[in-house]
Amino acid sequence: MRRLSLLALIVAGGASTVHADANPDTNVSADSQIESVTVTARRREEAVQDVPLAVSVLNAETIESTGTINVGRLSQLQPSVQFYSSNPRNSSVNIRGLGTPFGLTNDGIEPGVGIYIDQVYYNRNATATFDFLDVEQVEILRGPQGTLYGKNTTAGAVNITTRKPTFTPEARIELTRGNYDYTQSKASVSGPLIGDKLAGRLSTSYTSREGTIYNVTTGQHINELDNLGVKGQLLWQASNDFKVTFSADYTEQDPIGYGQVWAKTGSTQRPLNRQYADLAAASGNYQPPSFNPFDRLTDLDSPLTAIQQFGGASALAEWKLGSGLLTSVTAYRKWDWGPSNDRDFIGLPITTISANPSKQRQYSQELRYSATGDKIDYVAGVYGFYQTVDTAGVQEQGPLASRWLLSGANANNPSILDGLRSENDIGLKNTSVAAFGQLTWHVTDDLRLQPGLRVNYDKKEGKYIATVTNETNTALTAAQLGVLAPQSYEPEFDDTNVSGDFTVSYDVTDDVLAYVTYARSFKSGGINLSGLPLDANNQPITAVETVEPESTNHYEAGLKTQLFSHAVTLNLSAFWTDITDYQATVTNSQANVIRGYLANADKVRVRGVELELSTRPVDTLLLYANGSYTDHEYVKFPDAPCPPELAGGQAASAANPPSAPGTPNGFSPPSCNISGQWLPGISKVALSYGLEYELPLSALGEDGGVYFAYDGSYRSKFSSNPSRSIYTDVSGYALSNFRAGARFGQGWNVYGWVRNAFAKDYFEFFSTQSGSTGLVVAQLGDPRTYGLTVNKSF
């Protein structure tokens, strides 16, 4: 007996079992072979092992059985994927460490990793936090993809395909119950509506879980799950050559969240009486509810909300025309975000309101033609994208703001900052149009040349208007301006660029594919929409209104192999990526800049090797191991903002050179040279590994059996601050997940599961409190969770 199961589908090429007629060998059972998997990575259907590209594939069974409920969970199965999120808006999805700058989100730049669902590009990284809804397959494409995909995805793409309407009636239902009051239910139904011309599909999902952090101030568990999603599809099969799939979906999340916990403190260069320990003592001898972050306690005193609504509609038309396929993808998406956060991170009334409710609307149209011939295969298309974002931000200071943010006598006067309020009107109009194409020339049966080209135009128009008032509605004082200053600017950016790639691939044997690739790609320039840093006169520094486009030179070589009559799939890739004008989210020592801003690093480099292995040594056992080694650094960034231990002091000068890190009342440099340092968020070593063993049992039916599975992951130490700090490195950690269950009858599957089985305490990342107080807070990884899942297919 054979099952398409765990990391049968996780290797970049060879996912599960092979077709029984694929290269049989009298000494190898067909059931012990690894099955070929069809992907659309190059916008046409083909076997994944034939694609000269680093692409990994996960099927529906792998996604569901491993608890991979969203894009964010992919990082535990795919070592090259990184995901960080302090809340849905402030989420980043990176591939090989590149994609979205690490830190708080800035609407004025593009993500470098494209997320596509049923060929529709989703511009918001918040998509990564939504539950998968009736997903059939996920493809993870590593490296630049701009000559194949509508948006110029410079770091990679996550290509998600959902199940389509069928003319054969079918239904699925799944129920899960676990600790932390975890409940998840999924259901879908599909079938014909009008003969063989119109079919429909309806899918829904609901997930809830008690929060994993307890807020002693409100008596609530925060960081909970409360997700509802529904999707409807209609398939109109007008003829054998023409069909249209209409889709509409709506998802809502309304959890109590999000917050971090007290982790530690470190010395900065502020005067000692303005660092955390003295400030806490002067604030009624304040202490957090626990000095052990893994007690999972907080005392946040500002309201916490995180409601978001995501939805849209699309029409996917496919017309067999001549020797190829003409595809049109028309889509509308909306995303509404209604947050409220505690941006001082502790239970004191310092910043009492921090909210940036946002509304996004996006419209896209793609027209693409792909054809396959004896000698030439090609894809050519045009793409248009328009997006608007409107944000009404509010920040208000409380009665202890003066104590924490001001110095001297002003620190003892609460009325200076109490009630100081900034209301921000932020807007973005983002237009992108492109023409792209890729051609494959079969020089011989074994040798192929594959050039690709893209012409892209981007335009961004923004506004940022901050209106600041005080409690008495009088003219702002210098002390108030140093904390919240009025700003009004309208940044603009537009640019045209030409990018492309060239791949040479060669079939060394029928089961060994070698390829080399060079890609030149660009990531659109951006505009700062989170407020600008101030100069010595508390005036916005307009020179940083915009950031330059990223320019990428990418080199890659790979081998895709299937050995021992397809019983083993082994894929290797090595890559080297140089980026000039790398877009980084950087922090600032000023109290008023709580969200960070954008800057260009002169040059960064990311290079590494990846290995993906799966094997079925016997019919009933599947083993897999994936690994990545990534070397990464700022090659040149001489004027970066300084880390916390070098910030907050008096301005250094020739007469007063910079003090040693962490020197109270020291002299701080205006910037720091972080050339040669790590990029944030990237582990040098990341691994995923596991097995599944299945024992067929005739007593459970023709297709019945019991099974046991293990999935492990490891990542080494990484930095979680844009400028690496001695306080914010995250130690490496390993996680273990187990599953055991039985399949029986007609489509029944019942299994128990435990995630983080050994209750590993680990941090996802650290953040620092604004104002150089030295406080470090943490985003915690999930504790041990366990439960039981029952699903049935009809």
Side-chain angles (χ1 to χ4, degrees):
M1 184 178 97
R2 176 168 54 141
R3 292 281 179 181
L4 290 185
S5 177
L6 187 67
L7 247 268
L9 285 184
I10 295 187
V11 290
S16 188
T17 40
V18 209
H19 297 305
D21 60 350
N23 195 26
D25 188 296
T26 57
N27 295 319
V28 179
S29 165
D31 283 349
S32 67
Q33 296 173 345
I34 301 295
E35 189 172 272
S36 65
V37 174
T38 299
V39 297
T40 58
R42 293 196 293 178
R43 295 309 198 185
R44 56 182 180 269
E45 291 188 355
E46 54 193 332
V48 66
Q49 285 296 99
D50 295 336
V51 179
L53 170 71
V55 54
S56 302
V57 189
L58 293 87
N59 69 353
E61 186 178 348
T62 300
I63 292 165
E64 293 165 1
S65 64
T66 57
T68 307
I69 62 174
N70 54 36
V71 173
R73 290 271 182 95
L74 292 175
S75 59
Q76 289 193 28
L77 295 177
Q78 288 296 319
S80 296
V81 175
Q82 297 89 32
F83 175 74
Y84 304 98
S85 179
S86 58
N87 60 53
R89 183 177 187 270
N90 293 312
S91 299
S92 63
V93 181
N94 291 344
I95 293 177
R96 294 171 171 171
L98 303 174
T100 304
F102 189 95
L104 294 171
T105 298
N106 194 310
D107 289 327
I109 60 170
E110 307 280 347
V113 173
I115 297 177
Y116 294 82
I117 301 180
D118 292 334
Q119 303 192 42
V120 175
Y121 171 73
Y122 284 50
N123 187 259
R124 303 301 309 196
N125 276 329
T127 306
T129 68
F130 286 107
D131 288 355
F132 285 140
L133 187 57
D134 212 7
V135 166
E136 182 175 59
Q137 184 166 284
V138 176
E139 302 168 20
I140 301 168
L141 290 67
R142 306 192 290 277
Q145 305 298 324
T147 64
L148 282 171
Y149 285 74
K151 287 294 288 182
N152 192 7
T153 49
T154 55
V158 179
N159 187 27
I160 300 169
T161 304
T162 64
R163 296 185 178 100
K164 297 295 181 287
T166 60
F167 287 96
T168 301
E170 67 174 42
R172 301 169 185 270
I173 187 168
E174 178 178 292
L175 300 173
T176 299
R177 184 70 175 163
N179 64 332
Y180 289 93
D181 206 20
Y182 180 78
T183 301
Q184 184 175 70
S185 58
K186 299 179 182 179
S188 66
V189 59
S190 180
L193 299 176
I194 302 178
D196 60 356
K197 294 297 183 183
L198 188 68
R201 188 177 196 94
L202 181 65
S203 312
T204 185
S205 172
Y206 175 71
T207 306
S208 68
R209 189 190 71 181
E210 181 181 81
T212 56
I213 295 174
Y214 184 70
N215 189 342
V216 301
T217 299
T218 62
Q220 296 174 315
H221 289 89
I222 66 170
N223 297 11
E224 63 176 5
L225 297 177
D226 185 9
N227 310 336
L228 173 66
V230 62
K231 182 172 185 173
Q233 300 180 78
L234 290 174
L235 170 61
W236 175 40
Q237 186 78 51
S239 69
N240 290 333
D241 294 330
F242 182 73
K243 64 180 179 180
V244 183
T245 304
F246 301 95
S247 300
D249 65 275
Y250 175 80
T251 300
E252 180 172 300
Q253 293 185 349
D254 190 14
I256 300 173
Y258 287 86
Q260 290 74 45
V261 298
W262 189 100
K264 55 186 172 181
T265 61
S267 294
T268 70
Q269 294 188 335
R270 253 187 164 193
L272 198 58
N273 65 351
R274 299 184 63 212
Q275 296 196 37
Y276 177 83
D278 282 22
L279 289 169
S283 302
N285 288 316
Y286 168 79
Q287 290 188 348
S290 175
F291 289 102
N292 178 3
F294 294 103
D295 285 341
R296 298 182 178 271
L297 298 175
T298 189
D299 60 349
L300 303 178
D301 58 334
S302 293
L304 298 178
T305 58
I307 186 170
Q308 57 174 338
Q309 299 169 333
F310 208 92
S314 66
L316 170 62
E318 298 171 291
W319 184 15
K320 294 179 182 178
L321 189 61
S323 61
L325 181 67
L326 180 65
T327 303
S328 171
V329 187
T330 306
Y332 162 77
R333 304 295 312 165
K334 61 169 284 186
W335 179 65
D336 293 339
W337 168 238
S340 179
N341 303 304
D342 193 328
R343 293 307 304 167
D344 58 51
F345 301 118
I346 55 177
L348 292 176
I350 304 168
T351 299
T352 53
I353 300 176
S354 178
N356 283 273
S358 183
K359 296 181 182 294
Q360 181 213 265
R361 304 292 181 266
Q362 73 170 62
Y363 310 83
S364 61
Q365 174 64 55
E366 183 172 358
L367 192 65
R368 185 178 70 247
Y369 185 75
S370 60
T372 300
D374 292 336
K375 285 292 186 181
I376 300 293
D377 307 330
Y378 65 90
V379 177
V382 293
Y383 181 80
F385 173 86
Y386 179 71
Q387 173 194 33
T388 61
V389 182
D390 295 293
T391 302
V394 177
Q395 181 183 343
E396 185 170 311
Q397 305 297 351
L400 279 180
S402 293
R403 166 66 60 189
W404 284 70
L405 302 177
L406 300 180
S407 60
N410 288 336
N412 298 314
N413 186 351
S415 65
I416 296 178
L417 295 185
D418 190 15
L420 186 69
R421 181 182 178 94
S422 178
E423 297 185 358
N424 307 324
D425 180 11
I426 307 169
L428 170 69
K429 295 179 180 179
N430 182 13
T431 303
S432 178
V433 293
F436 59 94
Q438 190 177 91
L439 178 148
T440 302
W441 175 29
H442 298 260
V443 182
T444 69
D445 289 344
D446 297 324
L447 176 64
R448 292 163 298 277
L449 305 181
Q450 180 181 287
L453 187 68
R454 178 186 185 89
V455 180
N456 204 84
Y457 172 75
D458 292 289
K459 182 176 182 179
K460 293 183 174 66
E461 302 172 275
K463 66 173 180 178
Y464 184 94
I465 303 170
T467 302
V468 181
T469 58
N470 56 28
E471 187 73 11
T472 57
N473 290 315
T474 57
L476 298 173
T477 65
Q480 292 170 338
L481 288 170
V483 174
L484 290 176
Q487 296 190 34
S488 180
Y489 61 98
E490 296 185 357
E492 291 187 8
F493 172 87
D494 71 294
D495 185 46
T496 300
N497 59 65
V498 178
S499 58
D501 52 44
F502 189 81
T503 298
V504 180
S505 59
Y506 183 74
D507 293 327
V508 181
T509 70
D510 289 344
D511 296 323
V512 178
L513 169 68
Y515 67 90
V516 292
T517 295
Y518 167 73
R520 170 74 168 174
S521 64
F522 294 88
K523 182 177 170 185
S524 169
I527 55 179
N528 266 304
L529 289 178
S530 294
L532 301 178
L534 306 181
D535 61 19
N537 297 315
N538 289 325
Q539 296 299 309
I541 303 173
T542 57
V544 298
E545 281 187 7
T546 62
V547 290
E548 295 299 314
E550 287 185 356
S551 300
T552 299
N553 285 303
H554 175 79
Y555 312 85
E556 185 161 343
L559 278 176
K560 291 190 165 186
T561 68
Q562 289 190 304
L563 309 173
F564 308 112
S565 297
H566 295 200
V568 175
T569 297
L570 174 64
N571 296 322
L572 295 166
S573 57
F575 62 92
W576 184 307
T577 304
D578 291 318
I579 300 178
T580 56
D581 292 323
Y582 173 78
Q583 295 168 358
T585 297
V586 296
T587 55
N588 189 279
S589 59
Q590 295 163 295
N592 65 298
V593 183
I594 65 167
R595 300 193 61 80
Y597 64 98
L598 298 173
N600 287 113
D602 296 87
K603 186 176 181 179
V604 304
R605 183 194 66 226
V606 178
R607 59 188 178 185
V609 293
E610 298 163 331
L611 177 148
E612 297 181 296
L613 168 70
S614 67
T615 180
R616 189 181 290 275
V618 295
D619 297 354
T620 56
L621 177 63
L622 175 71
L623 305 172
Y624 76 92
N626 302 326
S628 67
Y629 173 82
T630 308
D631 178 61
H632 52 94
E633 68 174 31
Y634 293 103
V635 176
K636 184 181 180 184
F637 198 1
D639 54 353
C642 294
E645 58 268 28
L646 286 171
Q650 305 171 68
S653 63
N656 297 296
S659 305
T663 301
N665 203 31
F667 294 95
S668 295
S671 63
C672 286
N673 183 353
I674 61 172
S675 303
Q677 292 187 14
W678 285 359
L679 295 172
I682 310 176
S683 296
K684 283 206 168 187
V685 177
L687 306 170
S688 65
Y689 38 85
L691 61 86
E692 180 169 314
Y693 176 77
E694 182 163 17
L695 178 63
L697 293 176
S698 59
L700 294 178
E702 182 180 349
D703 293 324
V706 296
Y707 62 91
F708 168 83
Y710 166 74
D711 307 298
S713 62
Y714 167 78
R715 63 178 309 183
S716 61
K717 181 169 65 174
F718 63 94
S719 165
S720 64
N721 197 68
S723 297
R724 190 179 180 190
S725 168
I726 58 177
Y727 306 130
T728 56
D729 275 359
V730 175
S731 299
Y733 56 87
L735 302 176
S736 292
N737 307 326
F738 294 90
R739 290 175 287 118
R743 300 180 179 97
F744 56 91
Q746 297 297 314
W748 285 98
N749 185 9
V750 179
Y751 59 95
W753 50 268
V754 55
R755 296 179 59 84
N756 190 7
F758 301 118
K760 173 67 177 177
D761 289 333
Y762 68 100
F763 299 107
E764 291 190 341
F765 60 86
F766 293 115
S767 299
T768 57
Q769 189 181 48
S770 61
S772 300
T773 67
L775 173 63
V776 179
V777 297
Q779 183 79 19
L780 301 181
D782 278 351
R784 177 168 51 207
T785 56
Y786 52 85
L788 180 71
T789 296
V790 179
N791 61 44
K792 165 72 171 166
S793 299
F794 303 90

